Amino acid sequence: MRGLIIICGAVGLGGCATVPAVQYNTIASPADMRGMADSFYLRRTTLEISATETAKKDAAGENVVVTNVAVKAVPAEYRNTRYAIGGKRTLRSDTRINLTKIDNTDLISAIGTETTDTTVNTINQAGGVIAKLISLATLFAAAPETPCLSEKSGKLRFDLDPSQGSQNFDGQTQGCIRVDYGPLPQDAIPVSQLPLRTDTRFYYFAACREAAVRIAQTGTRMIEEKVKVSDPTHLQYARLPNKGTITHHSSCGISVVTEKSPTTNPADIVGALEAQGKAISDAIEAAKKDDDD
């Protein structure tokens, strides 16, 4: 009777789809990596601004210097907290993860998942793709007064902190670069709400916000570019595919690609249980005979 109940319960499970399960943990010591697959940092954003100059004639035939400004939102490690992630094994499934990182960093560029139905032990594999950086540029003529940016400025790097709402940075003149941050996405949660040591089927990543970069090249010339930046004080999340890859965009945000995963035929489960049940029954009968002897 008990065996019949177990078989019926397993058949009922056969009608349910397997789902991936992972766990997160913060790392304070080597022991926190126990049972985990890999570790990583959340993303923050470093703003890189550089300028190049070329001489040309304007419509009136006058010589002018044209300044080409490149603005890049570059992913960087948010080192305040290091996190671990690991695929978990449940009664019916085993989730394995494959992390691809940006070269020479602990930033995830892609996470591949494969959820194996452990009843039939079918294994599928998925990989990751390296993300690229963005580059935005604009042109304008430099005025006689000291400009904010020139080739002499070199490459400027600024660590962005969207939690401040806005920030001001120096070029060749004080405070001529301003960054204003847009609102948090409606689905963002505080990083303190990341579930730790608890099975979850979601992938969490630093929230993606829009930032308006305003450069006061001179008192009368203004350039504005909008970029996407990561805010590691808040998280967004996406459901991990049973089999597939989540790829980070060049500056922030993700894309989810789901591949078709095999399903388990309930008849296969019944067959496996019948075979296992027979093995158990034979073992019990053999034990009885040993007792009679």
Side-chain angles (χ1 to χ4, degrees):
M1 181 65 177
R2 184 178 180 183
L4 179 61
I5 293 174
I6 294 174
I7 292 175
C8 290
V11 172
L13 286 174
C16 301
T18 56
V19 295
V22 298
Q23 282 192 4
Y24 296 88
N25 196 24
T26 54
I27 301 177
S29 69
D32 296 323
M33 277 298 296
R34 190 173 296 119
M36 297 295 174
D38 207 340
S39 60
F40 65 97
Y41 289 113
L42 289 174
R43 291 187 175 207
R44 61 178 178 84
T45 298
T46 295
L47 190 67
E48 289 188 358
I49 302 177
S50 59
T52 56
E53 297 172 347
T54 56
K56 62 178 294 185
K57 292 186 180 295
D58 62 12
E62 298 292 330
N63 291 325
V64 295
V65 175
V66 176
T67 305
N68 184 359
V69 178
V71 180
K72 292 184 180 180
V74 182
E77 297 170 336
Y78 183 66
R79 290 178 169 265
N80 286 32
T81 305
R82 190 177 182 89
Y83 296 93
I85 184 172
K88 304 307 294 181
R89 186 182 183 93
T90 65
L91 179 64
R92 291 205 58 235
S93 66
D94 185 12
T95 300
R96 299 184 183 184
I97 58 175
N98 173 33
L99 267 59
T100 303
K101 298 180 180 180
I102 296 176
D103 288 348
N104 305 312
T105 75
D106 280 318
L107 294 175
I108 297 174
S109 64
I111 175 171
T113 58
E114 53 168 304
T115 305
T116 303
D117 189 319
T118 51
T119 309
V120 293
N121 199 30
T122 302
I123 300 176
N124 300 283
Q125 297 180 350
V129 180
I130 298 296
K132 295 181 180 180
L133 303 180
I134 61 169
S135 181
L136 304 175
T138 190
L139 301 175
F140 53 87
E145 60 184 290
T146 302
C148 176
L149 302 173
S150 71
E151 281 191 340
K152 296 179 181 179
S153 307
K155 183 179 289 184
L156 304 177
R157 292 183 176 88
F158 308 110
D159 292 337
L160 301 186
D161 182 4
S163 66
Q164 294 190 31
S166 66
Q167 291 177 279
N168 288 88
F169 304 104
D170 295 341
Q172 292 187 145
T173 54
Q174 187 173 6
C176 61
I177 302 170
R178 179 183 175 90
V179 181
D180 293 305
Y181 302 103
L184 282 162
Q186 292 182 335
D187 60 341
I189 61 172
V191 69
S192 59
Q193 293 183 14
L194 175 69
L196 301 176
R197 287 295 182 183
T198 301
D199 287 0
T200 176
R201 66 165 306 179
F202 293 103
Y203 174 62
Y204 292 85
F205 57 98
C208 191
R209 301 175 70 167
E210 187 174 75
V213 182
R214 298 180 172 89
I215 302 170
Q217 179 68 355
T218 67
T220 58
R221 297 180 183 273
M222 177 74 70
I223 171 178
E224 178 176 332
E225 291 289 353
K226 290 185 178 180
V227 296
K228 296 288 188 177
V229 301
S230 295
D231 182 353
T233 66
H234 286 76
L235 302 172
Q236 288 179 272
Y237 50 94
R239 182 172 292 183
L240 288 162
N242 282 20
K243 180 176 184 288
T245 306
I246 295 179
T247 304
H248 279 264
H249 296 166
S250 54
S251 54
C252 72
I254 62 169
S255 294
V256 181
V257 177
T258 301
E259 301 176 35
K260 184 178 180 180
S261 57
T263 56
T264 304
N265 188 331
D268 293 338
I269 299 177
V270 173
L273 285 168
E274 286 178 345
Q276 185 65 23
K278 185 177 185 305
I280 294 173
S281 177
D282 290 346
I284 293 173
E285 289 300 322
K288 286 182 178 179
K289 288 181 181 180
D290 290 340
D291 290 341
D292 292 342
D293 293 342

